[in-house]
């Protein structure tokens, strides 16, 4: 599966800083309430609907939806698919290393390099490395830890590692967190605090989550190739995917209905132009009860700068974000209100 596992950054078209800044200016300049509602509506699905279904839900013709999606694309917005990788026998492993490891060293590893999903050097509070792997259930996580231990100076340098069972991505609630007059992003902290006071459904007992046997869907290469196409364009018609793969429409449709549709949990923001001049790329590791972390993750997912929130049954949550210093300060104050323990890691972009 390793060739078809998706990194949040893997599909990005590399651009210069000036190009990204210009995209960000245009995006915020032309973002209006209707466009914000469209983005929110698309991100609200927990399955992969057809474009005609989205248009029907919005009460507009399909060609109007296509025009709006093309408009978003011109503004630098791209959607991907949210895949439940555990359903196909993959587990996400997050590792924080208190030592800098060159990317080539971990990628060249014959056994585990192909499973590396995300890599980022840590600049503060120490020079280290953040690694994220998607590994088959057949591989013991301690094998990867042992391998890294042979690379770094001391076993103590492997400071934290956790298996992730739930990932939540930004739902980009611009209608609550954007000033449409000043054309700037603004966190509505009052709303987030209000949401935190509301009761939420209790998730499964954390001990059940640790021991749960996942029921893997039957998957093969064609299913992964279909997902690859959807990651680039989740609104792509099955007929277009069939033509692109040069595989019969009937066969592609069968695989989509029987396999792919069962593991796609809606859309996610794959690309959105955020101002990078003063932004920090951070990973926040938070410790607390799983139910509290799950609640906080869903609240924080309203914010567009959240690249992903990853929950572990070991009562740990990782928040990846592209964030300005003032918003980061507000976010840490918000977390402190709940008595959780957290560490902030500044990553090299």
């Amino acid at each position: 599966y390793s060739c078809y596992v998706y990194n949040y950054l893997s599909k990005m078209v590399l651009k210069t800083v000036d190009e990204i800044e210009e995209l960000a200016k245009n995006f915020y300049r032309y973002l209006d309430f209707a466009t914000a509602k469209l983005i929110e509506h698309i991100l609200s699905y927990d399955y992969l609907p057809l474009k005609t279904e989205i248009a029907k839900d919005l009460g507009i013709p399909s060609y109007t939806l296509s025009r709006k999606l093309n408009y978003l694309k011109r503004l630098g917005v791209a959607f991907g698919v949210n895949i439940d990788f555990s359903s196909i026998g993959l587990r996400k492993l997050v590792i924080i290393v208190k030592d800098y490891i060159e990317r080539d060293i971990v990628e060249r590893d014959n056994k585990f390099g192909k499973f590396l999903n995300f890599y980022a050097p840590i600049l503060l509070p120490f020079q280290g490395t953040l690694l994220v792997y998607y590994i088959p259930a057949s591989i013991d996580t301690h094998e990867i830890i042992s391998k890294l231990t042979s690379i770094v100076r001391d076993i103590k340098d492997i400071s934290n590692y956790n298996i992730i069972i739930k990932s939540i991505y930004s739902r980009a609630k611009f209608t609550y967190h954007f000033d449409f007059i000043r054309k700037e992003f603004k966190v509505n902290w009052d709303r987030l605090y209000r949401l935190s006071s509301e009761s939420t459904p209790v998730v499964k007992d954390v001990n059940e989550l640790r021991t749960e046997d996942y029921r893997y869907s039957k998957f093969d290469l064609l299913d992964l190739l279909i997902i690859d196409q959807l990651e680039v364009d989740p609104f792509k018609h099955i007929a277009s995917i069939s033509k692109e793969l040069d595989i019969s429409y009937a066969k592609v449709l069968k695989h989509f209905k029987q396999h792919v549709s069962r593991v796609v949990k809606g859309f996610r923001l794959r690309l959105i132009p955020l101002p990078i001049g003063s932004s920090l790329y951070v990973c926040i590791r938070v410790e607390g009860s799983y139910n509290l972390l799950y609640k906080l993750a869903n609240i924080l997912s309203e914010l567009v700068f959240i690249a992903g929130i990853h929950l572990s049954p070991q009562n740990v949550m990782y928040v990846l974000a592209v964030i300005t210093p003032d918003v980061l300060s507000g976010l840490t104050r918000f977390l402190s209100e709940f008595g959780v323990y957290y560490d902030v890691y500044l990553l090299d972009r």
Side-chain angles (χ1 to χ4, degrees):
Y1 297 141
S2 57
C3 295
Y4 300 96
V5 172
Y6 306 103
N7 186 334
Y8 177 77
L9 305 173
S10 65
K11 301 290 183 180
M12 288 185 69
V13 178
L14 296 179
K15 294 180 180 292
T16 66
V17 172
D18 289 342
E19 287 176 317
I20 296 173
E21 290 286 8
E22 188 61 30
L23 272 175
K25 288 178 183 177
N26 287 335
F27 175 74
Y28 289 117
R29 182 185 302 132
Y30 296 111
L31 180 64
D32 56 21
F33 194 82
T35 304
K37 288 293 289 183
L38 174 62
I39 294 173
E40 290 180 18
H41 181 82
I42 291 172
L43 295 175
S44 70
Y45 291 95
D46 58 5
Y47 63 98
L48 191 62
L50 296 174
K51 192 187 292 186
T52 52
E53 182 181 346
I54 300 174
K56 183 179 179 181
D57 291 342
L58 291 169
I60 59 176
S62 291
Y63 66 82
T64 302
L65 176 60
S66 296
R67 189 175 70 246
K68 289 177 179 291
L69 291 174
N70 286 332
Y71 177 67
L72 285 175
K73 190 180 295 185
R74 290 196 299 274
L75 291 181
V77 178
F79 296 95
V81 284
N82 183 10
I83 303 295
D84 178 10
F85 283 103
S86 64
S87 295
I88 57 176
L90 293 173
R91 294 174 297 160
K92 185 182 292 184
L93 173 65
V94 178
I95 306 173
I96 293 176
V97 185
K98 286 185 177 179
D99 194 6
Y100 172 67
I101 306 175
E102 292 184 6
R103 183 171 190 144
D104 285 351
I105 293 177
V106 287
E107 285 186 330
R108 284 201 309 263
D109 183 82
N110 291 333
K111 187 171 183 180
F112 304 119
K114 58 190 174 184
F115 299 117
L116 182 68
N117 170 252
F118 180 82
Y119 166 95
I122 297 173
L123 302 178
L124 292 171
F126 49 75
Q127 288 190 322
T129 314
L130 173 65
L131 302 169
V132 181
Y133 289 88
Y134 273 116
I135 57 175
S138 57
I139 292 181
D140 189 338
T141 56
H142 292 94
E143 292 184 60
I144 295 181
I145 302 303
S146 296
K147 180 64 179 181
L148 290 174
T149 302
S150 68
I151 297 173
V152 299
R153 293 165 296 184
D154 193 325
I155 181 63
K156 294 179 181 178
D157 287 333
I158 313 293
S159 61
N160 293 293
Y161 61 93
N162 300 97
I163 288 289
I164 302 303
I165 57 169
K166 179 74 174 177
S167 292
I168 297 173
Y169 298 96
S170 173
R171 291 180 288 133
K173 294 284 187 178
F174 284 108
T175 53
Y176 295 110
H177 305 284
F178 188 77
D179 188 328
F180 292 97
I181 297 175
R182 295 187 177 184
K183 296 294 184 180
E184 62 183 17
F185 180 79
K186 189 174 182 179
V187 180
N188 186 341
W189 293 111
D190 288 340
R191 172 177 167 77
L192 298 188
Y193 280 108
R194 189 167 62 252
L195 289 174
S196 69
S197 66
E198 297 175 359
S199 60
T200 53
V202 177
V203 297
K204 285 185 178 181
D205 182 83
V206 70
N207 291 314
E208 291 181 34
L209 292 168
R210 285 196 184 100
T211 58
E212 185 178 63
D213 291 323
Y214 291 106
R215 294 182 179 179
Y216 305 136
S217 298
K218 183 180 179 181
F219 250 65
D220 60 20
L221 180 59
L222 176 54
D223 300 313
L224 296 170
L225 290 172
I226 294 171
I227 289 177
D228 194 32
Q229 293 287 315
L230 293 172
E231 177 67 3
V232 176
D233 181 4
F235 306 102
K236 199 168 189 177
H237 195 276
I238 297 297
S240 299
I241 296 176
S242 169
K243 184 177 180 180
E244 184 77 22
L245 299 178
D246 194 23
I247 298 173
S248 74
Y249 173 82
K251 188 172 184 179
V252 172
L253 181 62
K254 179 182 178 181
H255 277 253
F256 175 80
K257 286 184 174 180
Q258 294 185 355
H259 304 155
V260 176
S261 63
R262 296 181 181 181
V263 302
V264 177
K265 304 302 179 183
F267 303 94
R268 65 178 178 86
L269 276 176
R270 181 164 59 85
L271 294 173
I272 194 162
L274 295 172
I276 63 172
S278 60
S279 295
L280 305 173
Y281 192 17
V282 300
C283 172
I284 308 174
R285 185 180 187 274
V286 188
E287 295 182 10
S289 72
Y290 186 86
N291 277 286
L292 173 59
L293 296 181
Y294 183 80
K295 181 176 185 176
L296 291 175
N298 279 283
I299 293 171
L300 294 176
S301 70
E302 287 203 350
L303 307 176
V304 69
F305 55 74
I306 298 295
I309 304 176
H310 309 288
L311 293 144
S312 168
Q314 296 161 298
N315 297 323
V316 173
M317 170 175 81
Y318 293 88
V319 181
L320 285 170
V322 181
I323 192 171
T324 57
D326 60 320
V327 176
L328 175 60
S329 177
L331 178 54
T332 54
R333 285 198 302 271
F334 178 77
L335 292 173
S336 297
E337 290 290 325
F338 301 92
V340 296
Y341 175 82
Y342 63 85
D343 288 309
V344 179
Y345 301 95
L346 177 63
L347 305 180
D348 187 351
R349 294 184 301 189

